[in-house]
Every structure is written in structure tokens, then in C-alpha cells.
Amino acid sequence: MMLIEETSVPDTALPVEQFKAHLRLGTGFGEDNLQDEVLKSFLRAAMAAIEARTGKVLIERGFSWTLTGWRDRAGQVLPVAPVTDVAQVTLVDALGAEAVLDAELYRLEADSQRPKLRPVGAWLPNVATGGEVRISFDAGFATEWGGLPADLAQAVLMLAAHYYEYRHETKLGDGCMPFGVTSLIQRYRNVRISFGAEQ
């Protein structure tokens, strides 16, 4: 399985001014924008870390997910949430020939934790041996920063500030995330079910 981010978060969607206010950086000087590129990089890093920890996409963008077969032909769980649209499903045979699936044969089952691609009939179509299926979809809570849930927006600012504050530190442990950030994102993390059920 391979998930590719087809589009990226535009610079205009990054809350640079809110981040400056959060950091209490001085304003009114001739070089107010001097650190903008650095601040954008910390915001992007914080967003990426929170998305990785929660499995949720913050700012909406396009993705392409390729897999060699369905986990369940009655409904394939998509790798991230929330999915807003399934643009295209393409079957690829062992020789690389592609066939775009008719959009009337499947539907999106929206879910905040585990969105699914569902067949309109009984089963999703077979994936040829040695072939693959590629699903193109859009996912994200909002198209711009102001549309994000307030707790996730605050978590991004807090984590970006943490990265900014400790930008020269090399001794922090793997996966280090401040407690306040983990508390804010906790309810967005995937629910894990035991006894072999999907996670």
C-alpha cells in the first residue's frame, strides 16, 4: 500500500500571523517578515506530526492511495479521515493497463474515524492478480485555517511553538510531543479495537 499526497497545503492557508502572536514576536519593525519562511516550516512540521499521530488530515488536499487488493470487498477502509470526496477509482492489471471504475458502482461512507469506500452492489470489483487499485480522494477538516476545529488549531500552534523554542535541541526523545498537545489531539486519535478487528 502506498499513500501519496497529490496536493500540498498552500502557504496562504498557514496561520503565520496567529503563530507570530502566539510566540509574542515583536511587530512594527522593518523586518517583520524576516522569519516567515522559518515559521511556515515549523507550522508545516507541527501539522504533519499531528496528522501522523491522529490519522486525520487538517487542511483539505488531494491524495492517491494504491493497494494490491481489497482488505474487505464489502467495504474498504480509507487510510485517513475525514474524506470529503472520492474522485476516482482505477483498476490496474498485471500489465499496467488501467480501467477507471464507473462512479455509480461505489460510494463514500463518510465517517470521522474510519471512512469507507463501499460498493453500490454486493462487492467491490476484483483486483487482478499482480494488479492494483488506485483510489484518488480529497480529505481534510477544512479548506482554510479558520475552518479547523479550535482544539486542533491550538494544538498545531502549541507544537509549532515547541519546535521553534527547541529548534537547536538534539537530545529530545523520539516522538516527543508536549502533554498539552497530546491532550488536545487525544479525542481525534483512532479508536483501537482488540481481538483482531481492524484498527
Side-chain angles (χ1 to χ4, degrees):
M1 293 186 284
M2 182 168 55
L3 180 66
I4 297 172
E5 187 176 314
E6 297 289 355
T7 57
S8 59
V9 176
D11 281 352
T12 55
L14 297 173
V16 176
E17 294 307 314
Q18 293 98 313
F19 189 31
K20 287 179 182 178
H22 183 83
L23 292 173
R24 298 181 180 177
L25 294 180
T27 59
F29 302 99
E31 298 179 340
D32 279 356
N33 299 327
L34 187 63
Q35 289 197 70
D36 282 7
E37 293 307 311
V38 172
L39 299 179
K40 288 175 188 176
S41 70
F42 286 123
L43 286 166
R44 288 185 185 280
M47 290 175 64
I50 288 171
E51 288 181 345
R53 188 72 63 100
T54 62
K56 307 297 182 295
V57 178
L58 302 182
I59 301 297
E60 187 172 304
R61 51 202 189 273
F63 293 86
S64 176
W65 190 40
T66 303
L67 54 162
T68 56
W70 308 112
R71 184 167 185 173
D72 182 354
R73 287 185 63 204
Q76 176 63 56
V77 176
L78 297 172
V80 293
V83 173
T84 56
D85 179 58
V86 175
Q88 186 171 288
V89 178
T90 305
L91 295 172
V92 184
D93 68 18
L95 299 176
E98 299 185 358
V100 176
L101 200 60
D102 189 331
E104 295 182 359
L105 298 177
Y106 60 86
R107 63 184 174 84
L108 171 64
E109 183 179 285
D111 186 277
S112 63
Q113 293 286 342
R114 297 161 47 81
K116 288 186 180 180
L117 182 72
R118 290 277 194 192
V120 170
W123 307 107
L124 291 166
N126 273 323
V127 178
T129 301
E132 59 188 26
V133 58
R134 185 169 61 249
I135 306 167
S136 299
F137 62 92
D138 296 325
F141 280 103
T143 56
E144 58 186 27
W145 183 260
L148 280 180
D151 50 358
L152 285 177
Q154 182 64 25
V156 170
L157 292 177
M158 290 172 64
L159 186 56
H162 178 77
Y163 290 160
Y164 181 84
E165 182 71 23
Y166 293 98
R167 59 192 177 277
H168 302 299
E169 179 62 70
T170 59
K171 297 179 184 174
L172 295 175
D174 292 340
C176 179
M177 192 171 278
F179 173 74
V181 176
T182 57
S183 296
L184 287 169
I185 67 173
Q186 183 61 36
R187 74 185 184 106
Y188 295 97
R189 297 188 71 180
N190 287 327
V191 177
R192 299 200 176 268
I193 303 170
S194 58
F195 305 111
E198 286 186 28
Q199 299 182 4

